[in-house]
Amino acid sequence: MYAQALDQKDKAPSRIEDPVKLAAFEAHCAADDKIEPKDWMPEAYRRTLVRQVSQHAHSEVIGMQPEGNWVTRAPSLKRKAILISKIQDEAGHGLYLYSAAETLGVSREELNDQLLAGKAKYSSIFNYPTLTWADIGTIGWLVDGAAIMNQIPLCRTSFGPYSRAMIRICKEESFHQRQGYEAVMVLARGTPEQKAMAQDALNRWWWPCLMMFGPPDAVSEHSETSMRWRIKRFSNDALRQKFIDATVPQAHFLGLTIPDPDLRFNEASGHWEIGAIDWDEFKRVLAGEGPCNRQRMKVRRAAHENGAWVREAALAHAEKRARRKQAAALQAAE
Amino acid sequence: MSEAAMPLYEVFIRPKAGLSHKHVGSLHAADDDMALNMARDVYTRRAEGVSIWVVQSKLIAASDPVDKDMLFEPTASKVYRHPTFYDIPEEVGHM
Ligand SMILES: [Fe+2]
Ligand SMILES: [Fe+2]
């Protein structure tokens, strides 16, 4: 999902690496040993990870917006408390990931600037609107479900801090998916209007969720190196298929229809086969032309600007207290 | 757009009484009090701990990975430091 960054072209000129160090590094990766921040690493490995981990972090942060849209309108106090907890988790996910990226020598401020300047990407999925309450359940079920598919193999990724962040995150994601599925289940078993609402949400989210896994393997440019360096462990198509096979029966259990007339079960392979994905839509959304791209960035920038005085005040307060402590210590010494 | 950087802190949590504090991650905060508050909000949302330590990352002295072999390799040859190095007759019983 959030691994979409791995499919982007690396535009920076590649450095010529010391062949002895490079060979040792690659042997290390091949043996499934972890790479830690201070270890030697090829420049391209560092760059790929900074991009991948920071874009994953941006996705967690921007991902709070579509859900935040329903906090004040959740149908009950229970659902509201659950939704707030989930959103708070996503803020935490952003923080774990920014911290992991920072161990590679970039600052939080730099990463934040890249996002606010529109230079860094985040997952395409968060550029879709949450029109009804059913969207909130559907996001937990499908969006977090797709995230889990992607993030479980990332727990074993070669870069230590990223892997440790993913382990923490995966522990929390299971709650996200289950609360979402349960919320959809309540609607699917409710009045005809509620069931129609659940179906409508599935209709709108199904295809964008499949796009979360990134372009088909045939056109994905980065996979090979990322696989060799054990940053990524499964191909986009393999993960997408895993998600489809897991999710189709879950939809059927709810009595909902997957919005794909070509969907069929292949008895021989044991897999669900889908119709064609509209990759033009995916490209448009990534290029900034999704339904909510502009709004997401506007809200993010406003949140950052409106919080500036709080950060300034906190630093000024800390400085004042440190000064007073120093003065008191000096006085005591005299 | 850039503003003053917040100090980076490392967070250590004691999962329960009797266990030692373990590194769980990092965060940025203006001072120690805020770092503790934020560590509580971010790293103990599901009863992960009973005690928190925070320390500014810049105050930690760390060994250099380049020295890894020099520092840690010599212990590999000192097998006599392990109990399994010694053969004790079975008649003696568990030792
Ligand atoms: Fe998340
Ligand atoms: Fe989540």
Side-chain angles (χ1 to χ4, degrees):
Chain A
M1 101 167 302
Y2 305 160
Q4 281 171 358
L6 289 176
D7 300 304
Q8 288 154 28
K9 218 179 182 125
D10 193 355
K11 290 186 201 89
S14 52
R15 187 178 77 178
I16 308 296
E17 302 288 357
D18 175 338
V20 178
K21 284 181 175 165
L22 184 62
F25 173 85
E26 299 214 322
H28 206 71
C29 291
D32 266 338
D33 285 334
K34 294 278 185 255
I35 310 296
E36 294 296 338
K38 297 258 162 63
D39 293 339
W40 184 90
M41 58 184 85
E43 200 43 44
Y45 179 84
R46 183 186 300 276
R47 230 174 20 234
T48 304
L49 269 164
V50 167
R51 194 179 59 218
Q52 154 78 8
V53 178
S54 62
Q55 296 192 11
H56 193 157
H58 299 328
S59 302
E60 303 283 354
V61 169
I62 297 288
M64 291 189 280
Q65 288 186 39
E67 296 187 295
N69 185 31
W70 280 90
V71 168
T72 58
R73 293 175 289 162
S76 68
L77 187 57
K78 179 184 109 178
R79 293 287 171 198
K80 187 180 200 155
I82 292 170
L83 184 55
I84 291 173
S85 294
K86 179 182 187 294
I87 295 170
Q88 196 189 7
D89 280 354
E90 305 300 2
H93 297 177
L95 182 141
Y96 310 155
L97 288 161
Y98 281 129
S99 301
E102 284 174 81
T103 66
L104 289 160
V106 276
S107 73
R108 177 77 63 91
E109 288 75 17
E110 271 174 78
L111 297 175
N112 198 46
D113 285 353
Q114 286 171 5
L115 174 66
L116 297 183
K119 280 187 247 163
K121 298 216 179 322
Y122 52 87
S123 179
S124 54
I125 195 71
F126 301 119
N127 290 314
Y128 290 87
T130 41
L131 303 180
T132 73
W133 170 251
D135 290 29
I136 297 304
T138 307
I139 285 180
W141 170 31
L142 298 181
V143 175
D144 290 83
I148 291 172
M149 282 295 169
N150 215 303
Q151 292 176 160
I152 285 178
L154 284 175
C155 291
R156 297 197 299 127
T157 194
S158 58
F159 186 57
Y162 191 27
S163 144
R164 291 191 286 277
M166 286 325 318
I167 291 169
R168 277 194 79 82
I169 289 175
C170 281
K171 278 189 196 155
E172 301 180 346
E173 289 294 0
S174 178
F175 145 60
H176 298 178
Q177 193 185 19
R178 289 172 66 105
Q179 65 82 29
Y181 190 73
E182 194 221 41
V184 177
M185 191 158 63
V186 169
L187 294 175
R189 290 177 176 172
T191 63
E193 289 83 359
Q194 287 172 322
K195 187 168 180 184
M197 200 195 262
Q199 182 63 56
D200 168 64
L202 177 59
N203 293 349
R204 284 179 290 109
W205 288 94
W206 174 251
W207 292 105
C209 281
L210 297 186
M211 295 173 198
M212 284 171 67
F213 295 92
D217 296 349
V219 300
S220 173
E221 316 196 25
H222 262 285
S223 286
E224 206 195 307
T225 327
S226 294
M227 296 270 229
R228 194 171 71 246
W229 287 343
R230 300 280 206 268
I231 297 175
K232 189 173 173 172
R233 297 184 152 268
F234 292 98
S235 76
N236 295 353
D237 287 337
L239 288 170
R240 185 168 16 248
Q241 188 58 50
K242 252 180 115 159
F243 174 75
I244 294 165
D245 289 337
T247 311
V248 170
Q250 293 166 356
H252 290 166
F253 179 83
L254 297 175
L256 298 178
T257 310
I258 300 282
D260 178 357
D262 297 326
L263 183 79
R264 64 176 205 100
F265 188 69
N266 183 327
E267 294 282 352
S269 68
H271 292 299
W272 286 93
E273 291 173 354
I274 58 163
I277 295 175
D278 180 359
W279 291 113
D280 286 339
E281 173 179 330
F282 177 68
K283 276 184 215 142
R284 274 198 308 276
V285 176
L286 270 193
E289 297 303 317
C292 300
N293 296 54
R294 263 160 280 220
Q295 187 190 345
R296 300 292 183 240
M297 290 309 299
K298 202 173 130 202
V299 169
R300 186 66 222 129
R301 284 191 194 112
H304 185 74
E305 279 156 24
N306 295 338
W309 72 270
V310 179
R311 294 187 296 276
E312 269 163 40
L315 282 169
H317 179 70
E319 205 182 311
K320 185 184 78 185
R321 292 223 306 185
R323 247 196 337 264
R324 276 194 192 153
K325 212 168 145 186
Q326 208 178 13
L330 271 176
Q331 214 165 32
E334 271 164 18
Chain B
M1 200 150 46
S2 280
E3 40 188 86
M6 291 255 172
L8 182 65
Y9 280 83
E10 299 303 322
V11 181
F12 301 80
I13 305 259
R14 183 199 297 286
K16 59 179 188 189
L19 298 178
S20 31
H21 287 75
K22 192 169 170 261
H23 183 243
V24 293
S26 20
L27 53 82
H28 289 271
D31 60 23
D32 295 356
D33 287 345
M34 287 195 214
L36 273 174
N37 276 321
M38 192 176 179
R40 179 244 175 217
D41 286 348
V42 177
Y43 290 105
T44 65
R45 289 198 302 282
R46 291 181 174 82
E48 287 97 335
V50 294
S51 162
I52 304 171
W53 288 350
V54 291
V55 61
Q56 278 205 26
S57 313
K58 67 172 185 210
L59 300 178
I60 294 179
S63 66
D64 191 325
V66 172
D67 301 334
K68 198 167 68 191
D69 290 349
M70 182 186 76
L71 291 173
F72 310 114
E73 197 53 37
T75 62
S77 58
K78 296 182 175 60
V79 284
Y80 47 85
R81 285 181 171 169
H82 296 279
T84 46
F85 181 71
Y86 304 93
D87 287 327
I88 304 287
E90 228 162 83
E91 302 92 279
V92 179
H94 178 73
M95 184 180 278

